[in-house]
Amino acid sequence: MEGYHSPQVHVQVRLNTNESPVAPPAAWQELLADEVASVDFHRYPDRAATGLRRGIAELHGVGVENVFAANGSNEVLQTLCLTYAGTVRTVVTFEPSYMLHSHIAKISGATVVSGDRDADFAITASIVDSVLERCDPAITFLCSPNNPTGVVDSRELVEYVLRVAPGLVVVDEAYGQFAPRSALDLVDDSRNLVVVRTFSKTWAMAGARLGYLVGPSWLVEELDKVVLPYHLDTVKQLAGRLALHFHAEMRDRVETLVRERERLVAVLTELPVRVWPSGANFVLFRPLYHDANAVWQGLVDRGVLVRNCASWPRLGGCLRVTIGTSAEDDQFLAALGDVLAETPEGAGS
Ligand SMILES: *Cc1c(COP(=O)(O)O)cnc(C)c1O
């Protein structure tokens, strides 16, 4: 098996892992430092993470019994796979999508069956049908907005998958707050649906490793049996609980990044690249006449790192840029304009 890799190069402008370009509020960090000073470190953490889960539940208007939190949404996904996938079971993904869905499912022992998104990277009802004819999945993964394409699933599509998929439907909304719609309001004890979110992107807390899901209470009960006891350390629980006091600041940050995304897309549209519309804090694009690897290297040479997707299945020639501060985005756009102004390699001189 291949491991999961996200190469890091030391450059000035890092627009490759969809992190927030700015830190969380200083007031949050001060509050956290104060509370950490009086933590009883000789005691185990609150195993049920009650304060944190209550805060998340209030944020979404659900019960504390509808929230499961873990070390990043990756651990949420892993716990879902350990609980509902595993050997002799099948997991469905729609590619290209977030690599860890299929990766974690396989590690759990499950067989992964993948549907192929259409030319615009959308999932259609007929794509869903053709996958479900081939298997009987325990879990069907959706990702909206989808990483790395930025596509937001339509409400009709999510409802269709919920209707026809036999097992659990997981909607990964790591970028949910950047998008115009969410599946959160569909979560109900009567549906096999969970929505997964994270503090890593919109909350600007990738370093804290905290994610969660909102789902049926009966499902949360099952996950609690599977996950390791005391998996959420005391400091992390505090970090998440206190972050929720800065919800307005998070929304401001998201609004700024969405405006910045629209600005960046408008400029990219004027360049010789194909751009896909995005509901997230990143944009996928493909140079029309230039080799993507050469463009990626040209950007690195100019101090800008983006994600090179050129060798990923279905993403030949594509690069993905994370939205940064407007200064960083300007640096990216200037560097890209520069690189694309050069004569493409292989073109006659
Ligand atoms: C970044 C990302 C995550 C986040 O994982 P964490 O473990 O919460 O940092 C989850 N899903 C998708 C699709 C992502 O892009």
Side-chain angles (χ1 to χ4, degrees), residues 20-22 175-180 201-203 246-264 279-281 323-326 329:
S20 163
V22 293
Y175 306 93
Q177 297 94 326
F178 293 114
K201 314 286 168 51
T202 54
W203 290 94
F246 298 88
H247 185 233
E249 286 81 348
M250 182 274 277
R251 297 189 55 161
D252 287 348
R253 218 165 36 236
V254 167
E255 267 177 38
T256 303
L257 287 169
V258 167
R259 273 199 305 275
E260 197 52 28
R261 177 186 77 208
E262 296 315 310
R263 178 177 81 89
L264 192 122
N281 67 334
I323 308 303
T325 62
S326 59
D329 297 337

Side-chain angles (χ1 to χ4, degrees), residues 1 3 40 49 102 117 162 170 186 189 197 220-221 229 236 248 251 264 282 290 295 306 316 326 338 346:
M1 246 180 129
D40 285 331
S102 55
R117 290 164 185 265
L162 259 178
V170 176
L186 289 170
D189 264 15
R197 291 230 165 160
V220 171
E221 245 174 72
K236 185 189 312 275
R251 297 189 55 161
L264 192 122
F282 55 82
H290 292 70
V295 172
V306 301
S326 59
D338 237 30

Side-chain angles (χ1 to χ4, degrees), residues 206-257:
R209 309 304 304 127
L210 181 59
Y212 63 91
L213 66 72
V214 178
S217 54
W218 49 262
L219 175 135
V220 171
E221 245 174 72
E222 298 304 314
L223 300 187
D224 277 331
K225 294 177 195 169
V226 172
V227 77
L228 292 175
Y230 308 112
H231 65 135
L232 290 175
D233 66 79
T234 305
V235 175
K236 185 189 312 275
Q237 291 186 34
L238 274 173
R241 191 162 62 65
L242 296 174
L244 296 170
H245 298 328
F246 298 88
H247 185 233
E249 286 81 348
M250 182 274 277
R251 297 189 55 161
D252 287 348
R253 218 165 36 236
V254 167
E255 267 177 38
T256 303
L257 287 169

Side-chain angles (χ1 to χ4, degrees), residues 52-247:
L52 171 65
R53 286 169 60 214
R54 189 178 298 124
I56 295 168
E58 278 168 14
L59 176 69
H60 293 300
V62 298
V64 66
E65 69 281 4
N66 298 111
V67 175
F68 174 81
N71 292 285
S73 51
N74 287 334
E75 196 192 27
V76 175
L77 301 170
Q78 183 187 52
T79 310
L80 283 166
C81 285
L82 288 175
T83 310
Y84 291 98
T87 40
V88 312
R89 301 218 175 150
T90 300
V91 171
V92 160
T93 65
F94 297 94
E95 304 295 340
S97 190
Y98 187 50
M99 244 179 287
L100 282 169
H101 295 155
S102 55
H103 184 74
I104 294 171
K106 283 177 200 162
I107 287 174
S108 83
T111 302
V112 175
V113 175
S114 294
D116 228 358
R117 290 164 185 265
D118 72 10
D120 298 322
F121 299 125
I123 306 168
T124 61
S126 70
I127 294 171
V128 174
D129 290 346
S130 74
V131 173
L132 294 182
E133 272 164 26
R134 287 192 275 146
C135 65
D136 178 24
I139 301 178
T140 299
F141 276 110
L142 296 177
C143 189
S144 180
N146 186 45
N147 182 6
T149 63
V151 171
V152 182
D153 289 331
S154 72
R155 168 54 67 128
E156 293 71 34
L157 187 272
V158 176
E159 286 177 347
Y160 185 73
V161 172
L162 259 178
R163 213 160 46 242
V164 297
L168 179 65
V169 176
V170 176
V171 184
D172 186 337
E173 290 191 357
Y175 306 93
Q177 297 94 326
F178 293 114
R181 55 186 168 271
S182 163
L184 269 171
D185 62 303
L186 289 170
V187 173
D188 187 284
D189 264 15
S190 69
R191 293 196 186 97
N192 297 327
L193 169 71
V194 302
V195 172
V196 181
R197 291 230 165 160
T198 178
F199 282 79
S200 294
K201 314 286 168 51
T202 54
W203 290 94
M205 287 167 58
R209 309 304 304 127
L210 181 59
Y212 63 91
L213 66 72
V214 178
S217 54
W218 49 262
L219 175 135
V220 171
E221 245 174 72
E222 298 304 314
L223 300 187
D224 277 331
K225 294 177 195 169
V226 172
V227 77
L228 292 175
Y230 308 112
H231 65 135
L232 290 175
D233 66 79
T234 305
V235 175
K236 185 189 312 275
Q237 291 186 34
L238 274 173
R241 191 162 62 65
L242 296 174
L244 296 170
H245 298 328
F246 298 88
H247 185 233

